[in-house]
Amino acid sequence: MTNFLPFALPEIGQEEIDEVVDSLRSGWLTTGPKTKRFEQDFTEFLGGDIESISINSATSGLHLALEALGISPGDEVITTPYTFTATGEVVRYLSSNPIFVDIDPTTFNIDPAKIEAAITPRTKAILIVHFGGLACEMEPILKIAQKHGLKVVEDAAHAIPTTYQGKLVGTLDSDVTVYSFYATKPIATGEGGMLVTRNPEIAKRCRIMRLHGISRDAFDRYTSTKPAWYYEIIAPGFKYNMTDLAASLGIHQLKKAWTFQQKRAEIAKRYDTELANLPLLLPPTPKDGDVHSWHLYVIRLVDLAKISREAFIEQMAARGIGCSVHFIPLHLHPYWRDTYYLKPRDFPCALSAYERAVSLPIYTKMTEADQERVINAVKEILSV
Ligand SMILES: *Cc1c(COP(=O)(O)O)cnc(C)c1O
Protein backbone atom coordinates (compact mmCIF):
# COMPACT_ATOMS: atom_id res chain seq x y z
CA MET A 1 0.00 0.00 0.00
CA THR A 2 1.42 3.33 -1.02
CA ASN A 3 0.78 6.40 1.09
CA PHE A 4 0.38 4.59 4.39
CA LEU A 5 -0.76 6.88 7.21
CA PRO A 6 1.28 5.81 10.24
CA PHE A 7 -0.24 5.67 13.71
CA ALA A 8 2.23 8.22 15.08
CA LEU A 9 4.96 10.55 13.83
CA PRO A 10 7.09 13.17 15.59
CA GLU A 11 7.23 16.73 14.25
CA ILE A 12 10.87 17.77 13.97
CA GLY A 13 11.55 21.25 12.58
CA GLN A 14 14.62 23.02 11.24
CA GLU A 15 15.22 24.53 14.72
CA GLU A 16 15.67 21.06 16.22
CA ILE A 17 17.97 20.01 13.37
CA ASP A 18 20.09 23.16 13.65
CA GLU A 19 20.40 22.75 17.43
CA VAL A 20 21.55 19.12 17.11
CA VAL A 21 24.09 20.12 14.43
CA ASP A 22 25.30 22.91 16.71
CA SER A 23 25.90 20.34 19.46
CA LEU A 24 27.67 17.99 17.05
CA ARG A 25 29.99 20.80 15.95
CA SER A 26 30.58 21.93 19.55
CA GLY A 27 32.15 18.60 20.44
CA TRP A 28 29.88 18.29 23.49
CA LEU A 29 27.75 15.21 22.84
CA THR A 30 26.68 13.97 26.25
CA THR A 31 25.24 15.79 29.30
CA GLY A 32 26.39 19.40 29.09
CA PRO A 33 25.20 22.95 28.40
CA LYS A 34 22.14 21.99 26.30
CA THR A 35 20.91 19.58 28.95
CA LYS A 36 21.27 22.27 31.58
CA ARG A 37 19.36 24.74 29.40
CA PHE A 38 16.60 22.20 28.75
CA GLU A 39 16.20 21.64 32.50
CA GLN A 40 16.01 25.40 33.13
CA ASP A 41 13.47 25.81 30.31
CA PHE A 42 11.40 22.97 31.72
CA THR A 43 11.27 24.56 35.17
CA GLU A 44 10.20 27.81 33.53
CA PHE A 45 7.57 25.98 31.47
CA LEU A 46 6.03 24.62 34.68
CA GLY A 47 6.22 28.03 36.34
CA GLY A 48 9.18 28.00 38.71
CA ASP A 49 9.75 26.64 42.26
CA ILE A 50 10.32 23.13 40.87
CA GLU A 51 13.50 21.22 40.09
CA SER A 52 13.74 19.58 36.68
CA ILE A 53 16.11 16.63 36.30
CA SER A 54 16.65 15.33 32.77
CA ILE A 55 16.98 11.60 32.21
CA ASN A 56 17.33 9.17 29.32
CA SER A 57 13.77 7.81 29.63
CA ALA A 58 10.63 7.99 31.73
CA THR A 59 11.36 4.43 32.84
CA SER A 60 14.66 5.65 34.35
CA GLY A 61 12.86 8.59 35.95
CA LEU A 62 10.20 6.42 37.57
CA HIS A 63 12.93 4.11 38.88
CA LEU A 64 14.90 7.08 40.31
CA ALA A 65 11.73 8.50 41.87
CA LEU A 66 10.80 5.31 43.69
CA GLU A 67 14.40 4.76 44.80
CA ALA A 68 14.63 8.30 46.17
CA LEU A 69 11.33 7.82 48.00
CA GLY A 70 12.86 4.85 49.78
CA ILE A 71 10.75 2.11 48.23
CA SER A 72 12.38 -1.08 49.54
CA PRO A 73 12.10 -4.86 49.07
CA GLY A 74 8.66 -6.10 50.09
CA ASP A 75 7.04 -2.69 49.94
CA GLU A 76 3.83 -2.24 47.98
CA VAL A 77 3.10 0.43 45.40
CA ILE A 78 -0.50 0.93 44.30
CA THR A 79 -0.83 1.47 40.57
CA THR A 80 -3.01 0.89 37.52
CA PRO A 81 -3.00 -2.18 35.28
CA TYR A 82 -4.04 0.04 32.36
CA THR A 83 -0.58 1.26 31.40
CA PHE A 84 2.66 0.40 29.68
CA THR A 85 4.76 -2.19 31.48
CA ALA A 86 7.38 0.45 32.45
CA THR A 87 5.04 1.75 35.17
CA GLY A 88 4.99 -1.66 36.85
CA GLU A 89 8.50 -2.89 36.08
CA VAL A 90 10.23 -0.07 37.99
CA VAL A 91 8.50 -1.29 41.14
CA ARG A 92 10.01 -4.73 40.51
CA TYR A 93 13.48 -3.18 39.98
CA LEU A 94 13.35 -2.39 43.72
CA SER A 95 12.11 -5.90 44.62
CA SER A 96 8.83 -4.38 45.71
CA ASN A 97 5.34 -5.26 44.48
CA PRO A 98 2.86 -3.31 42.40
CA ILE A 99 -0.69 -3.67 43.70
CA PHE A 100 -3.05 -3.11 40.82
CA VAL A 101 -6.27 -1.19 41.28
CA ASP A 102 -8.94 -1.17 38.57
CA ILE A 103 -9.69 1.87 36.40
CA ASP A 104 -12.62 4.19 36.03
CA PRO A 105 -14.56 2.76 33.07
CA THR A 106 -14.88 6.11 31.27
CA THR A 107 -11.51 7.82 31.82
CA PHE A 108 -9.32 4.67 31.94
CA ASN A 109 -7.51 6.33 34.87
CA ILE A 110 -7.07 4.59 38.24
CA ASP A 111 -10.38 4.65 40.15
CA PRO A 112 -9.77 6.65 43.36
CA ALA A 113 -12.77 4.98 45.01
CA LYS A 114 -10.99 1.61 44.84
CA ILE A 115 -7.60 2.70 46.20
CA GLU A 116 -8.23 2.53 49.96
CA ALA A 117 -9.30 -1.12 49.87
CA ALA A 118 -5.87 -1.97 48.39
CA ILE A 119 -3.84 -0.30 51.16
CA THR A 120 -1.98 -2.62 53.56
CA PRO A 121 0.68 -1.98 56.23
CA ARG A 122 3.27 -2.49 53.46
CA THR A 123 1.88 0.17 51.12
CA LYS A 124 4.37 3.00 50.60
CA ALA A 125 3.24 4.86 47.49
CA ILE A 126 0.60 5.43 44.83
CA LEU A 127 1.91 5.55 41.26
CA ILE A 128 -0.72 6.98 38.94
CA VAL A 129 -0.83 7.38 35.14
CA HIS A 130 -2.62 10.23 33.36
CA PHE A 131 -3.96 7.96 30.64
CA GLY A 132 -3.81 9.41 27.14
CA GLY A 133 -3.14 12.86 28.61
CA LEU A 134 -6.36 13.25 30.61
CA ALA A 135 -5.53 14.05 34.24
CA CYS A 136 -6.42 11.60 37.01
CA GLU A 137 -8.75 12.74 39.78
CA MET A 138 -5.82 14.01 41.84
CA GLU A 139 -7.76 15.61 44.70
CA PRO A 140 -9.13 12.36 46.19
CA ILE A 141 -5.87 10.53 45.39
CA LEU A 142 -3.76 13.11 47.24
CA LYS A 143 -6.22 13.07 50.16
CA ILE A 144 -6.00 9.28 50.51
CA ALA A 145 -2.20 9.49 50.33
CA GLN A 146 -2.08 12.13 53.03
CA LYS A 147 -4.46 10.21 55.28
CA HIS A 148 -2.36 7.03 55.06
CA GLY A 149 1.09 8.64 54.88
CA LEU A 150 1.77 7.46 51.31
CA LYS A 151 3.97 9.02 48.65
CA VAL A 152 2.48 9.93 45.26
CA VAL A 153 4.32 9.62 41.94
CA GLU A 154 2.76 10.74 38.66
CA ASP A 155 3.60 8.89 35.45
CA ALA A 156 3.06 11.84 33.12
CA ALA A 157 4.44 10.10 30.03
CA HIS A 158 1.34 11.26 28.12
CA ALA A 159 0.63 14.47 29.96
CA ILE A 160 2.44 17.47 28.50
CA PRO A 161 0.67 19.80 28.58
CA THR A 162 -2.17 18.56 30.78
CA THR A 163 -3.88 20.52 33.54
CA TYR A 164 -5.88 19.46 36.60
CA GLN A 165 -8.10 22.10 38.23
CA GLY A 166 -6.28 24.68 36.16
CA LYS A 167 -2.78 23.64 37.26
CA LEU A 168 -0.23 21.99 35.02
CA VAL A 169 0.57 18.37 35.78
CA GLY A 170 4.03 18.63 37.32
CA THR A 171 2.98 21.43 39.67
CA LEU A 172 0.44 19.46 41.72
CA ASP A 173 1.02 18.32 45.31
CA SER A 174 2.50 14.92 44.52
CA ASP A 175 6.10 13.99 45.38
CA VAL A 176 7.50 13.41 41.89
CA THR A 177 6.23 13.70 38.31
CA VAL A 178 7.95 11.99 35.37
CA TYR A 179 7.58 12.77 31.64
CA SER A 180 8.63 10.75 28.60
CA PHE A 181 10.09 12.18 25.41
CA TYR A 182 10.09 8.84 23.61
CA ALA A 183 9.68 9.19 19.82
CA THR A 184 5.88 8.88 19.86
CA LYS A 185 5.15 10.99 22.95
CA PRO A 186 3.63 14.53 22.91
CA ILE A 187 7.08 16.09 22.73
CA ALA A 188 9.87 13.88 21.44
CA THR A 189 13.64 13.60 21.75
CA GLY A 190 13.87 10.00 20.49
CA GLU A 191 14.67 8.68 23.93
CA GLY A 192 14.48 10.94 26.95
CA GLY A 193 12.49 12.15 29.91
CA MET A 194 12.24 14.66 32.74
CA LEU A 195 11.72 14.13 36.46
CA VAL A 196 10.33 17.07 38.41
CA THR A 197 9.94 17.59 42.14
CA ARG A 198 9.62 20.38 44.70
CA ASN A 199 11.44 18.36 47.35
CA PRO A 200 15.16 19.30 47.42
CA GLU A 201 16.14 16.04 49.19
CA ILE A 202 14.47 13.91 46.51
CA ALA A 203 16.00 16.07 43.80
CA LYS A 204 19.46 15.66 45.30
CA ARG A 205 19.15 11.89 45.55
CA CYS A 206 17.83 11.60 41.97
CA ARG A 207 20.69 13.71 40.60
CA ILE A 208 23.26 11.54 42.35
CA MET A 209 21.66 8.22 41.36
CA ARG A 210 21.13 9.42 37.78
CA LEU A 211 24.90 9.33 37.25
CA HIS A 212 26.66 6.41 38.97
CA GLY A 213 26.09 7.67 42.51
CA ILE A 214 28.66 10.43 42.08
CA SER A 215 28.30 13.06 44.77
CA ARG A 216 27.95 16.37 42.98
CA ASP A 217 29.05 18.25 46.08
CA ALA A 218 32.48 16.72 45.65
CA PHE A 219 32.22 16.89 41.86
CA ASP A 220 31.35 20.56 41.53
CA ARG A 221 34.69 22.30 41.28
CA TYR A 222 33.23 25.74 41.93
CA THR A 223 31.77 24.99 45.33
CA SER A 224 34.24 22.33 46.39
CA THR A 225 37.65 22.95 47.86
CA LYS A 226 38.74 19.60 46.37
CA PRO A 227 40.64 19.54 43.03
CA ALA A 228 38.61 19.33 39.79
CA TRP A 229 39.48 15.68 39.11
CA TYR A 230 38.20 14.54 42.51
CA TYR A 231 34.84 12.89 43.04
CA GLU A 232 33.21 10.56 45.50
CA ILE A 233 30.93 7.60 44.89
CA ILE A 234 28.33 7.40 47.62
CA ALA A 235 26.01 4.73 46.18
CA PRO A 236 25.84 2.16 43.34
CA GLY A 237 23.98 4.55 41.03
CA PHE A 238 22.64 4.19 37.51
CA LYS A 239 23.51 5.51 34.02
CA TYR A 240 20.35 7.48 33.35
CA ASN A 241 21.65 10.88 32.16
CA MET A 242 20.32 12.71 29.09
CA THR A 243 22.63 13.56 26.17
CA ASP A 244 23.01 17.08 24.78
CA LEU A 245 21.86 15.70 21.43
CA ALA A 246 18.51 14.73 22.95
CA ALA A 247 18.33 17.99 24.93
CA SER A 248 18.87 19.92 21.66
CA LEU A 249 15.65 18.39 20.36
CA GLY A 250 13.90 18.89 23.70
CA ILE A 251 14.64 22.61 23.94
CA HIS A 252 12.70 23.28 20.73
CA GLN A 253 10.04 20.63 21.22
CA LEU A 254 9.19 22.18 24.60
CA LYS A 255 8.71 25.60 22.99
CA LYS A 256 6.10 24.01 20.73
CA ALA A 257 4.34 21.95 23.40
CA TRP A 258 1.29 24.24 23.57
CA THR A 259 1.02 24.62 19.78
CA PHE A 260 1.25 20.85 19.41
CA GLN A 261 -1.48 20.42 22.02
CA GLN A 262 -3.76 22.87 20.21
CA LYS A 263 -3.31 21.01 16.94
CA ARG A 264 -4.12 17.67 18.55
CA ALA A 265 -7.12 19.20 20.37
CA GLU A 266 -8.46 20.40 17.00
CA ILE A 267 -8.14 16.91 15.57
CA ALA A 268 -9.88 15.48 18.64
CA LYS A 269 -12.72 17.98 18.24
CA ARG A 270 -13.11 17.08 14.59
CA TYR A 271 -13.19 13.34 15.40
CA ASP A 272 -15.73 14.02 18.20
CA THR A 273 -18.06 15.76 15.74
CA GLU A 274 -17.62 13.45 12.78
CA LEU A 275 -17.73 10.14 14.66
CA ALA A 276 -20.58 11.12 17.00
CA ASN A 277 -23.36 8.99 15.53
CA LEU A 278 -21.51 5.76 14.96
CA PRO A 279 -21.66 2.55 17.06
CA LEU A 280 -18.72 3.58 19.21
CA LEU A 281 -17.96 5.45 22.42
CA LEU A 282 -15.95 8.65 22.09
CA PRO A 283 -13.12 9.36 24.53
CA PRO A 284 -13.98 11.49 27.57
CA THR A 285 -13.36 15.22 27.32
CA PRO A 286 -11.61 17.19 30.07
CA LYS A 287 -13.56 19.10 32.72
CA ASP A 288 -14.43 22.71 31.91
CA GLY A 289 -11.32 24.87 31.77
CA ASP A 290 -8.92 21.93 31.90
CA VAL A 291 -6.43 20.87 29.24
CA HIS A 292 -6.18 17.37 27.80
CA SER A 293 -2.86 16.78 26.05
CA TRP A 294 -4.64 14.47 23.57
CA HIS A 295 -1.65 12.18 23.32
CA LEU A 296 -4.14 9.42 22.55
CA TYR A 297 -7.60 9.37 21.00
CA VAL A 298 -9.18 6.08 22.04
CA ILE A 299 -12.57 5.04 20.72
CA ARG A 300 -14.42 1.98 22.00
CA LEU A 301 -16.48 -0.16 19.67
CA VAL A 302 -19.90 -1.07 21.08
CA ASP A 303 -21.79 -4.31 20.38
CA LEU A 304 -23.89 -2.60 17.72
CA ALA A 305 -20.72 -2.13 15.67
CA LYS A 306 -20.98 -5.84 14.78
CA ILE A 307 -17.24 -6.01 14.17
CA SER A 308 -14.48 -7.17 16.45
CA ARG A 309 -11.76 -4.76 17.50
CA GLU A 310 -9.19 -6.96 15.71
CA ALA A 311 -11.18 -6.95 12.45
CA PHE A 312 -11.71 -3.20 12.72
CA ILE A 313 -7.97 -2.54 13.00
CA GLU A 314 -7.32 -4.92 10.08
CA GLN A 315 -9.81 -3.05 7.95
CA MET A 316 -8.24 0.29 8.86
CA ALA A 317 -4.84 -1.16 7.87
CA ALA A 318 -6.33 -2.39 4.58
CA ARG A 319 -7.24 1.26 3.94
CA GLY A 320 -3.66 2.28 4.71
CA ILE A 321 -4.29 3.64 8.19
CA GLY A 322 -2.26 2.65 11.23
CA CYS A 323 -4.15 2.19 14.50
CA SER A 324 -2.99 0.86 17.85
CA VAL A 325 -4.31 -0.43 21.17
CA HIS A 326 -3.59 1.29 24.48
CA PHE A 327 -3.07 -0.74 26.51
CA ILE A 328 -2.93 -4.49 26.82
CA PRO A 329 -3.52 -4.36 30.59
CA LEU A 330 -0.54 -5.57 32.58
CA HIS A 331 -2.49 -8.37 34.29
CA LEU A 332 -3.03 -10.08 30.92
CA HIS A 333 0.70 -10.28 30.16
CA PRO A 334 2.40 -13.59 31.08
CA TYR A 335 4.95 -12.03 33.46
CA TRP A 336 2.45 -10.05 35.54
CA ARG A 337 -0.24 -12.72 35.33
CA ASP A 338 2.06 -15.52 36.50
CA THR A 339 4.02 -13.55 39.12
CA TYR A 340 0.90 -12.35 40.92
CA TYR A 341 -1.58 -15.11 39.95
CA LEU A 342 -3.86 -12.62 38.21
CA LYS A 343 -6.98 -13.48 36.24
CA PRO A 344 -8.50 -11.38 33.44
CA ARG A 345 -11.64 -10.69 35.52
CA ASP A 346 -9.63 -9.38 38.50
CA PHE A 347 -9.82 -5.94 36.86
CA PRO A 348 -13.11 -6.00 34.94
CA CYS A 349 -13.04 -2.34 33.87
CA ALA A 350 -9.50 -2.61 32.51
CA LEU A 351 -10.44 -5.82 30.71
CA SER A 352 -13.57 -4.38 29.12
CA ALA A 353 -11.78 -1.16 28.10
CA TYR A 354 -9.01 -3.18 26.47
CA GLU A 355 -11.39 -5.45 24.55
CA ARG A 356 -13.10 -2.52 22.84
CA ALA A 357 -10.33 0.07 22.56
CA VAL A 358 -8.82 1.37 19.34
CA SER A 359 -6.37 4.28 19.29
CA LEU A 360 -6.82 6.39 16.16
CA PRO A 361 -3.92 8.43 14.75
CA ILE A 362 -3.72 11.89 16.36
CA TYR A 363 -0.55 13.87 15.76
CA THR A 364 0.46 17.32 14.59
CA LYS A 365 1.82 16.27 11.20
CA MET A 366 -1.61 14.98 10.11
CA THR A 367 -3.09 17.14 7.36
CA GLU A 368 -6.82 17.85 7.07
CA ALA A 369 -6.89 15.28 4.28
CA ASP A 370 -5.25 12.71 6.59
CA GLN A 371 -7.91 13.39 9.23
CA GLU A 372 -10.66 13.05 6.63
CA ARG A 373 -9.19 9.78 5.51
CA VAL A 374 -9.38 8.41 9.06
CA ILE A 375 -12.93 9.69 9.54
CA ASN A 376 -14.16 8.27 6.24
CA ALA A 377 -12.54 4.92 6.89
CA VAL A 378 -14.14 4.62 10.34
CA LYS A 379 -17.54 5.59 8.89
CA GLU A 380 -17.21 3.14 6.02
CA ILE A 381 -16.20 0.20 8.22
CA LEU A 382 -18.88 0.84 10.83
CA SER A 383 -21.77 1.53 8.46
CA VAL A 384 -21.82 -1.85 6.68
C1 LIG B 1 5.93 5.47 27.14
C2 LIG B 1 5.51 5.25 28.53
C3 LIG B 1 6.42 5.06 29.57
C4 LIG B 1 7.89 4.87 29.34
O1 LIG B 1 8.50 5.93 28.72
P1 LIG B 1 10.02 5.80 28.23
O2 LIG B 1 10.48 7.21 28.09
O3 LIG B 1 9.99 5.08 26.92
O4 LIG B 1 10.76 5.05 29.26
C5 LIG B 1 5.95 4.98 30.86
N1 LIG B 1 4.63 5.05 31.13
C6 LIG B 1 3.72 5.20 30.16
C7 LIG B 1 2.28 5.30 30.52
C8 LIG B 1 4.12 5.29 28.83
O5 LIG B 1 3.20 5.40 27.85
Side-chain angles (χ1 to χ4, degrees):
M1 161 76 56
T2 52
N3 198 13
F4 188 82
L5 182 73
F7 170 68
L9 270 182
E11 182 168 337
I12 302 296
Q14 194 58 45
E15 305 84 349
E16 282 88 336
I17 293 168
D18 291 345
E19 199 72 49
V20 171
V21 171
D22 179 68
S23 281
L24 290 173
R25 291 195 202 285
S26 79
W28 202 298
L29 302 184
T30 185
T31 314
K34 299 281 175 73
T35 309
K36 194 162 184 181
R37 198 168 116 206
F38 186 31
E39 289 180 346
Q40 286 165 349
D41 290 355
F42 208 87
T43 291
E44 208 169 292
F45 175 88
L46 291 178
D49 99 303
I50 287 203
E51 281 198 63
S52 301
I53 299 170
S54 59
I55 47 212
N56 62 359
S57 73
T59 308
S60 314
L62 292 169
H63 184 198
L64 288 176
L66 295 182
E67 198 276 340
L69 290 171
I71 305 302
S72 310
D75 286 348
E76 292 176 357
V77 176
I78 290 174
T79 192
T80 170
Y82 213 75
T83 184
F84 184 58
T85 194
T87 316
E89 83 193 28
V90 293
V91 179
R92 297 296 298 138
Y93 289 179
L94 296 157
S95 303
S96 41
N97 299 305
I99 303 299
F100 298 115
V101 165
D102 207 2
I103 56 169
D104 176 296
T106 54
T107 63
F108 297 9
N109 281 328
I110 194 167
D111 186 346
K114 294 187 180 134
I115 290 177
E116 271 192 301
I119 295 174
T120 76
R122 290 181 170 170
T123 311
K124 290 287 158 58
I126 306 174
L127 170 51
I128 60 93
V129 177
H130 301 294
F131 178 83
L134 179 69
C136 287
E137 273 304 323
M138 292 305 291
E139 196 174 293
I141 293 169
L142 290 165
K143 251 188 210 146
I144 292 165
Q146 197 169 29
K147 181 174 155 196
H148 296 272
L150 308 177
K151 307 292 184 188
V152 177
V153 176
E154 296 172 67
D155 178 339
H158 304 174
I160 181 163
T162 289
T163 69
Y164 175 73
Q165 295 181 348
K167 288 186 196 153
L168 272 174
V169 161
T171 67
L172 307 175
D173 289 326
S174 67
D175 294 278
V176 183
T177 301
V178 179
Y179 302 86
S180 172
F181 309 136
Y182 180 69
T184 59
K185 299 290 157 87
I187 68 170
T189 64
E191 302 287 355
M194 195 70 80
L195 179 156
V196 306
T197 180
R198 273 200 196 89
N199 183 319
E201 288 305 311
I202 294 172
K204 190 176 172 199
R205 179 71 181 177
C206 290
R207 282 189 196 284
I208 289 169
M209 295 308 279
R210 173 180 63 172
L211 196 66
H212 301 298
I214 296 174
S215 163
R216 281 172 60 93
D217 290 343
F219 196 50
D220 189 338
R221 62 172 127 163
Y222 299 106
T223 57
S224 175
T225 52
K226 301 279 196 327
W229 53 264
Y230 185 78
Y231 60 88
E232 282 174 357
I233 300 298
I234 60 162
F238 309 106
K239 187 64 166 49
Y240 284 170
N241 55 305
M242 177 179 272
T243 67
D244 263 24
L245 298 180
S248 297
L249 296 170
I251 287 165
H252 295 280
Q253 289 277 297
L254 183 65
K255 287 195 178 105
K256 302 172 186 174
W258 281 103
T259 325
F260 285 174
Q261 186 277 336
Q262 277 164 14
K263 282 198 197 169
R264 289 190 303 267
E266 276 165 27
I267 299 171
K269 207 170 151 197
R270 188 145 178 231
Y271 284 167
D272 281 351
T273 312
E274 295 284 344
L275 307 178
N277 297 313
L278 295 169
L280 55 81
L281 296 173
L282 296 172
T285 49
K287 295 210 170 113
D288 262 359
D290 265 324
V291 175
H292 188 322
S293 78
W294 289 112
H295 169 56
L296 298 175
Y297 189 93
V298 180
I299 57 166
R300 276 172 289 168
L301 302 178
V302 299
D303 292 341
L304 270 174
K306 294 195 170 68
I307 184 170
S308 73
R309 187 264 311 276
E310 283 72 7
F312 178 87
I313 292 177
E314 267 171 34
Q315 294 215 21
M316 290 293 279
R319 286 166 176 76
I321 297 167
C323 291
S324 192
V325 174
H326 295 87
F327 285 101
I328 303 167
L330 298 191
H331 72 293
L332 302 183
H333 288 287
Y335 171 73
W336 298 108
R337 181 192 65 206
D338 299 344
T339 304
Y340 294 105
Y341 310 103
L342 301 172
K343 294 181 195 69
R345 295 258 152 229
D346 287 351
F347 308 102
C349 297
L351 179 67
S352 141
Y354 161 65
E355 286 173 342
R356 295 163 179 280
V358 179
S359 301
L360 298 180
I362 181 165
Y363 50 97
T364 58
K365 280 187 77 122
M366 288 178 79
T367 63
E368 294 223 354
D370 291 336
Q371 297 162 36
E372 222 163 271
R373 211 172 134 195
V374 174
I375 291 161
N376 290 337
V378 175
K379 283 182 176 168
E380 221 176 271
I381 295 166
L382 292 183
S383 63
V384 273

